[in-house]
Amino acid sequence: MPTPQSPITVLYGVSEQRAKLFEKLDIYTVDDLVRHYPRGYENRGEIKKVCELTPGFTSSCILEISSPLKSTRISSKAGRKMTVQKVTAHDETGSVLLTFFNQEFLKNTLVTGRKFRFYGQVTGTFLSPQMTSPAYEPYIEGKELDSLVPIYPLTSGISCKMISRLVKSALDCYFGVESLPKDIIEKYGLMSLYDALYTIHFPSDGEKMKAARKRLAFEELLNFQLRLRSLKDRNRKGKAIKLYRPDMQPFFDSLSFGLTDAQKNSIENILYDMTRSETVQQASDTVLYTQPMRRLVQGDVGSGKTIVAASAVYACVRNGLQASLMVPTEILAEQHYASLLPLMEEHRIATALLTGSTKAAHKRNILEALKEGKIDFIIGTHALIEDNVIFKNPGLAITDEQHRFGVKQREKLSGKTAVSEDGEETVPHMLVMSATPIPRTLALILYGDLDISIIDELPPGRQKVDTFAVGESMRQRIYKFTEKLVSEGRQCYIVCPLAENTDGILTDEEYENGLKSAAEYCEKLKTEIFPKLKIEFVHGKMKPAAKDKIMKSFSAGEIDILVSTTVIEVGVNVPNAALMVIENAERFGLSQLHQLRGRVGRGKHKSYCVLMSPVIKGQLADGNNPSEKRFKIMCENESGFKISQYDLEMRGPGDFFGRRQHGELSFKIADLAADMTLVEETKKLADEITKSKNKA
Ligand code: ADP
Ligand code: MG
């Protein structure tokens, strides 16, 4: 008796040779085949009479073969021999000419007097309709045909019919098999496994099909969530030092602004996590341990995540422990260092910076001091996860702009353990700061193992960044406008598309060309368009030191216009910058555009974002063009959460995260943009299951 795990060759009609073809569809076992879900359905159930057939539309009709099929030989254009089969068929209202190619065997099937249901695109005219290579199924009075017929992803040599036939026999292996516990099935009102699999392939109607889909998506998401947890359980298992709650007021008092409610709330969440009394096994009662915090802080660009992180650092250091903050670029590390240092010094928190370009001798000193516990707080890049970075008392590991780091890297930083005085090994609490807001569904999926705090509020007084999308005809006016702002003392960014190659999507040559044209454009701006202004160009391939020098002088207000590739996308903070011009904006995704726009409007000055694109002819059209749709969304929305939801809907989760993460997020049936409720339900359920398992 074959089982779902048997190779598909156990199925009748699957030779080794055919199995090779199935491999191209990633189908090796019976289960793979059954889980090769239809990508859609043809609605063949709506039967038309011949007199109702309309050329250009795809329709179903039940016809009787009128006369024997005729086959003729022809030569194709390429000189290959072909045969054409023609046959007429009719109902009581008229007849249809049917044409097939290279299917001589049909003369034994489409026999005069037999009835079939034909489905296909109608060609010819109203008076003499035709169909070419329609799908056909024998029609027997009293025996109903499925109205929804599945369409499968195919490869050459494998047809939908073949898959349907094989699936039907494969389903026998699932009779009486159930993969979810009974109480879950009842609680969530799910179909049984067998019914769901049968129905997804052979639905009798749309409602049943949806119910089947729900059951299968539920199971897929639940398994994903459980897998995610067990994968990360290893890291969660450790214990962290339970902090006492320090008086935070001196720290808050030293800020030049009051915190927003959303910031306060996130800080509360963090303090709760690090100070909670969650019993974990402990050897003595002099030190108390707790579950390590694993929290994600999500907030829009400019919502003030840094200070939330700094508050956590303060609490940790007041407990005599060390904290670390890892960011993806040197520029960002230096910026954080520069802005946090005065604040930390005020509270006598010894702070250091460690990046790839820290000089060897200085680095040695830092590592030494860190090991001896003389440094309380260290800010840095990937350099922080190297093996020679050893903390004396690691209490807190923060990663900022998380989507740039893989899960592995953030786990590595928080995996830096320490052995406390009583011989217990502890892990630091972990805090993750997101760079871009992402839709809740995706956050639940991607960070299924983390608790989430959301900063859904910008600091008061922030002005909306006015956003315009314009075509080439407006270029001169945009240049005039740029000049005007600069004359008022403001600074501008001009971003040229994608000379970056972080995703490995471009070939080296494409990259070089992109870089060259961006550099040429910058030359033109310098010499022809704004000869009087101070303009510099930064790009991803520059030496960090050179890039830094320019960024610093832009920060100091010595440069009027910074032309850049997307290097500036992450994090930089120059409050005097009031204009962001994005060239070839059609090449950027929504989240990226939002991220770029977030570079302006950070100070007290009214700020603007201009999306330049040759796609726009004259005025921004209301059309269906995806670029123009994106522009419209940008012009009409400020919230990063909203924009990322649109982004997800427009692109799907694969593209949303770029190629690297695609694999992790490819679902067979669940749809992350649409199955919000299922994602939430399964996350909750996975939490419950994991909890009760850990108790047992
Ligand atoms: P992001 O969330 O993008 O990392 P930052 O932490 O860089 O944002 O904060 C952006 C700017 O807002 C910084 O200059 C910061 O000092 C300022 N800021 C943060 N919180 C507040 C607040 N509550 N009121 C006023 N300004 C704030
Ligand atoms: Mg930030």
Side-chain angles (χ1 to χ4, degrees):
M1 176 75 187
T3 70
Q5 277 64 50
S6 306
I8 49 165
T9 45
V10 300
L11 298 175
Y12 179 75
V14 184
S15 59
E16 289 293 338
Q17 220 172 0
R18 191 161 277 170
K20 279 267 171 299
L21 295 177
F22 273 110
E23 283 178 15
K24 289 194 189 148
L25 294 169
D26 263 336
I27 295 172
Y28 300 88
T29 64
V30 170
D31 196 55
D32 294 337
L33 176 75
V34 169
R35 307 288 179 162
H36 189 67
Y37 302 122
R39 64 175 164 80
Y41 301 87
E42 286 172 356
N43 186 359
R44 298 187 189 172
E46 204 182 309
I47 304 296
K48 288 254 157 70
K49 291 287 168 207
V50 173
C51 64
E52 297 169 323
L53 293 179
T54 313
F57 285 81
T58 299
S59 304
S60 251
C61 44
I62 291 170
L63 305 174
E64 183 182 325
I65 305 298
S66 317
S67 55
L69 175 139
K70 283 203 188 89
S71 193
T72 46
R73 244 167 222 294
I74 55 164
S75 285
S76 76
K77 279 201 192 102
R80 253 183 301 145
K81 295 267 180 289
M82 291 177 70
T83 59
V84 180
Q85 290 72 40
K86 289 191 185 280
V87 64
T88 41
H90 65 273
D91 65 10
E92 65 278 13
T93 70
S95 61
V96 181
L97 176 65
L98 307 170
T99 307
F100 299 87
F101 296 99
N102 297 325
Q103 300 193 39
E104 281 166 87
F105 59 86
L106 283 180
K107 67 175 184 287
N108 303 321
T109 314
L110 303 183
V111 173
T112 314
R114 284 199 197 155
K115 282 187 175 174
F116 293 86
R117 179 171 76 180
F118 292 97
Y119 175 86
Q121 197 185 26
V122 181
T123 55
T125 63
F126 270 107
L127 292 177
S128 54
Q130 304 190 10
M131 282 182 173
T132 302
S133 305
Y136 55 91
E137 300 152 280
Y139 175 81
I140 296 157
E141 211 77 53
K143 189 173 162 253
E144 218 171 300
L145 286 169
D146 292 331
S147 60
L148 293 175
V149 176
I151 318 166
Y152 293 99
L154 297 175
T155 183
S156 99
I158 307 262
S159 68
C160 281
K161 249 186 195 166
M162 190 190 297
I163 293 182
S164 272
R165 186 177 62 72
L166 290 173
V167 166
K168 210 161 232 168
S169 75
L171 280 170
D172 288 346
C173 308
Y174 292 80
F175 204 71
V177 173
E178 184 47 79
S179 46
L180 287 174
K182 213 167 148 198
D183 52 328
I184 291 181
I185 291 184
E186 273 168 19
K187 183 169 169 202
Y188 293 91
L190 303 173
M191 261 187 187
S192 74
L193 178 65
Y194 178 82
D195 284 350
L197 289 173
Y198 191 93
T199 311
I200 202 79
H201 290 287
F202 309 105
S204 52
D205 62 64
E207 285 309 306
K208 284 241 173 64
M209 187 269 285
K210 275 189 199 142
R213 213 198 134 269
K214 177 184 158 188
R215 142 85 207 213
L216 297 169
F218 185 96
E219 185 168 0
E220 184 172 38
L221 288 167
L222 180 63
N223 285 335
F224 180 85
Q225 294 277 3
L226 288 171
R227 230 177 15 250
L228 203 64
R229 274 171 189 65
S230 73
L231 197 76
K232 291 165 182 167
D233 248 10
R234 278 170 299 169
N235 302 301
R236 206 193 251 283
K237 279 233 174 75
K239 55 190 163 206
I241 297 193
K242 172 174 155 27
L243 306 193
Y244 72 87
R245 191 190 166 102
D247 179 10
M248 297 296 292
Q249 208 49 48
F251 181 74
F252 295 151
D253 287 344
S254 65
L255 302 177
S256 57
F257 45 76
L259 296 169
T260 63
D261 286 344
Q263 284 172 317
K264 283 184 199 154
N265 201 19
S266 300
I267 294 171
E268 264 321 302
N269 291 157
I270 291 166
L271 291 176
Y272 169 81
D273 287 353
M274 297 196 296
T275 60
R276 70 187 147 188
S277 312
E278 192 117 348
T279 21
V280 288
Q281 174 232 337
Q282 47 197 64
S284 79
D285 36 44
T286 44
V287 187
L288 277 173
Y289 301 106
T290 187
Q291 277 216 0
M293 163 169 76
R294 292 174 71 84
R295 181 166 292 278
L296 169 75
V297 174
Q298 267 228 78
D300 212 338
V301 229
S303 61
K305 294 183 288 286
T306 314
I307 210 65
V308 170
S311 307
V313 169
Y314 179 85
C316 169
V317 173
R318 282 290 90 96
N319 274 265
L321 301 173
Q322 294 168 298
S324 59
L325 168 62
M326 179 166 74
V327 299
T329 64
E330 295 202 0
I331 298 178
L332 201 55
E334 294 196 2
Q335 209 165 53
H336 276 318
Y337 181 70
S339 72
L340 292 175
L341 188 63
L343 186 63
M344 295 299 163
E345 280 181 336
E346 198 180 327
H347 298 282
R348 306 176 60 183
I349 293 173
T351 303
L353 174 70
L354 183 70
T355 68
S357 50
T358 306
K359 293 265 166 5
H362 186 45
K363 181 171 172 180
R364 255 197 314 277
N365 290 340
I366 292 177
L367 293 181
E368 192 61 33
L370 199 62
K371 207 166 154 185
E372 288 170 7
K374 287 180 187 150
I375 290 173
D376 302 313
F377 177 33
I378 186 157
I379 300 173
T381 54
H382 295 83
L384 289 181
I385 54 177
E386 283 167 19
D387 287 335
N388 57 2
V389 178
I390 298 164
F391 294 83
K392 180 161 191 254
N393 295 309
L396 173 65
I398 308 173
T399 40
D400 194 8
E401 315 293 353
Q402 140 74 24
H403 79 298
R404 294 279 167 136
F405 294 110
V407 171
K408 273 213 192 88
Q409 287 165 317
R410 96 175 181 225
E411 297 296 346
K412 203 160 172 197
L413 185 66
S414 62
K416 292 211 176 269
T417 55
V419 179
S420 60
E421 280 150 26
D422 56 359
E424 294 282 330
E425 194 183 64
T426 61
V427 299
H429 292 285
M430 182 175 92
L431 183 61
V432 176
M433 322 293 285
S434 79
T436 12
I438 58 173
R440 206 179 138 67
T441 32
L442 273 192
L444 290 178
I445 285 286
L446 279 185
Y447 309 109
D449 64 324
L450 302 182
D451 298 307
I452 301 179
S453 298
I454 291 180
I455 308 186
D456 51 3
E457 182 182 6
L458 293 182
R462 283 288 157 75
Q463 297 185 46
K464 172 171 178 279
V465 176
D466 283 343
T467 304
F468 307 94
V470 300
E472 279 305 313
S473 60
M474 292 285 281
R475 185 170 286 281
Q476 293 313 318
R477 281 176 66 178
I478 297 302
Y479 288 152
K480 283 255 151 57
F481 183 63
T482 307
E483 250 169 358
K484 177 174 161 276
L485 283 178
V486 171
S487 73
E488 291 168 3
R490 304 286 79 74
Q491 290 163 280
C492 304
Y493 294 102
I494 298 181
V495 175
C496 300
L498 205 80
E500 287 317 299
N501 208 11
T502 40
D503 291 3
I505 287 169
L506 299 179
T507 63
D508 283 351
E509 198 186 336
E510 283 170 323
Y511 178 81
E512 292 298 339
N513 286 341
L515 201 56
K516 216 172 108 211
S517 69
E520 279 166 11
Y521 178 52
C522 182
E523 256 332 281
K524 191 176 157 198
L525 289 172
K526 271 187 196 169
T527 53
E528 290 174 32
I529 299 163
F530 304 117
K532 291 200 189 100
L533 304 186
K534 184 109 179 52
I535 301 174
E536 290 292 346
F537 179 46
V538 286
H539 58 83
K541 243 194 172 175
M542 269 165 121
K543 290 245 162 57
K547 190 160 56 181
D548 257 39
K549 202 169 149 233
I550 295 177
M551 292 307 296
K552 274 188 196 127
S553 84
F554 186 68
S555 215
E558 296 156 5
I559 294 173
D560 300 314
I561 299 178
L562 184 70
V563 181
S564 85
T565 61
T566 44
V567 202
I568 57 156
E569 188 194 333
V570 169
V572 292
N573 193 22
V574 180
N576 189 45
L579 173 64
M580 165 65 64
V581 178
I582 303 173
E583 297 278 354
N584 288 97
E586 75 283 355
R587 300 216 204 151
F588 293 97
L590 270 175
S591 296
Q592 226 178 350
L593 290 174
H594 178 70
Q595 195 70 19
L596 287 169
R597 179 171 63 181
R599 296 308 111 209
V600 297
R602 302 187 140 234
K604 51 185 184 295
H605 312 289
K606 175 77 198 157
S607 300
Y608 307 86
C609 173
V610 177
L611 311 172
M612 292 280 292
S613 173
V615 171
I616 301 169
K617 307 285 179 226
Q619 295 254 300
L620 181 59
D622 238 348
N624 280 329
N625 172 325
S627 310
E628 290 193 285
K629 254 193 207 156
R630 286 201 298 275
F631 299 156
K632 206 155 182 292
I633 290 169
M634 285 300 294
C635 294
E636 291 170 358
N637 291 278
E638 292 167 69
S639 154
F641 286 100
K642 229 174 170 178
I643 288 172
S644 72
Q645 181 67 38
Y646 280 119
D647 201 13
L648 176 61
E649 282 162 17
M650 282 180 76
R651 291 201 292 173
D655 290 336
F656 188 86
F657 279 100
R659 293 194 180 181
R660 203 157 28 95
Q661 268 145 322
H662 194 104
E664 293 177 31
L665 283 176
S666 65
F667 289 90
K668 283 197 150 124
I669 197 159
D671 174 354
L672 296 186
D675 290 331
M676 170 90 115
T677 326
L678 287 185
V679 170
E680 288 180 356
E681 276 177 1
T682 52
K683 158 147 169 115
K684 243 191 232 143
L685 182 57
D687 282 340
E688 285 166 23
I689 294 174
T690 313
K691 225 179 234 163
S692 66
K693 206 163 60 199
N694 287 349
K695 255 189 216 138

